[in-house]
Amino acid sequence: MANKFKASNRPSLWVWLGIALLVLLLDQFTKVLVLGAFQLGDSTPITSFFNLVRVHNHGAAFSFLAGAGGWQRWFFTGIGVVAALFMVWMLRSHPGQKLFSLAISLILGGAIGNVVDRLLHGYVVDFLDFYWGTWHFPAFNVADAGISVGAALLILDEILRVRRGR
């Protein structure tokens, strides 16, 4: 009977959804700042390898399908919504797997951030521009960073899981 009242060491679904919400809010806040301060195509050098820019991405990662004529907005929005629902289900199914759930939370917050952009603007607002000499990495945003860090953590989680299984 005493175990019934014992505090769980497992974070709840709400912790993971809260992390996703923080990523979403930070993403949207930074995009509002960029939209208010920059015109499309504006660029402000910050360091010798980093600019703040305003770019509109009508496609997916690396501008995939950016020139497809408009249908891709709804296609990528639909994929984002379905992926978000799947990720919430995953978080609900595995809330005690901390690294896995953190990774999914970061990806979820980023995915929803980019879906919000597509619904509000018809494109995703990108503004972080890293470069070396004349080579530029494609501009990205906080949502994209959350997705990328989350993906890296998923890979790390799988490597650790496989090693524990040996």
Side-chain angles (χ1 to χ4, degrees):
M1 190 85 165
N3 283 343
K4 184 177 179 181
F5 299 104
K6 197 174 187 180
S8 173
N9 234 3
R10 252 174 58 161
S12 77
L13 171 65
W14 295 108
V15 170
W16 305 122
L17 293 177
I19 291 169
L21 180 63
L22 286 174
V23 172
L24 170 64
L25 292 174
L26 181 61
D27 175 64
Q28 290 300 302
F29 177 71
T30 55
K31 289 172 179 173
V32 165
L33 293 176
V34 167
L35 289 171
F38 290 85
Q39 296 296 315
L40 179 61
D42 284 354
S43 178
T44 301
I46 304 298
T47 69
S48 63
F49 60 88
F50 173 66
N51 295 331
L52 285 177
V53 299
R54 179 172 166 184
V55 178
H56 297 170
N57 183 354
H58 294 271
F62 305 105
S63 296
F64 176 67
L65 292 178
W71 63 267
Q72 73 277 21
R73 172 187 185 183
W74 303 111
F75 177 71
F76 292 130
T77 298
I79 288 174
V81 169
V82 169
L85 292 171
F86 177 71
M87 286 182 273
V88 170
W89 177 80
M90 292 293 289
L91 288 172
R92 198 175 151 172
S93 300
H94 306 283
Q97 295 179 16
K98 293 178 183 175
L99 185 57
F100 175 81
S101 294
L102 175 60
I104 295 296
S105 295
L106 295 173
I107 296 169
L108 176 62
I112 294 172
N114 285 339
V115 164
V116 167
D117 275 17
R118 290 183 197 288
L119 291 172
L120 291 178
H121 311 297
Y123 52 81
V124 173
V125 177
D126 290 327
F127 57 90
L128 301 169
D129 175 33
F130 288 89
Y131 59 94
W132 185 264
T134 59
W135 176 84
H136 286 253
F137 189 79
F140 62 99
N141 56 45
V142 172
D144 298 333
I147 292 168
S148 297
V149 170
L153 291 176
L154 273 180
I155 293 167
L156 176 62
D157 181 63
E158 182 62 15
I159 290 168
L160 295 173
R161 187 189 66 75
V162 167
R163 285 193 173 179
R164 282 190 301 266
R166 287 185 183 175

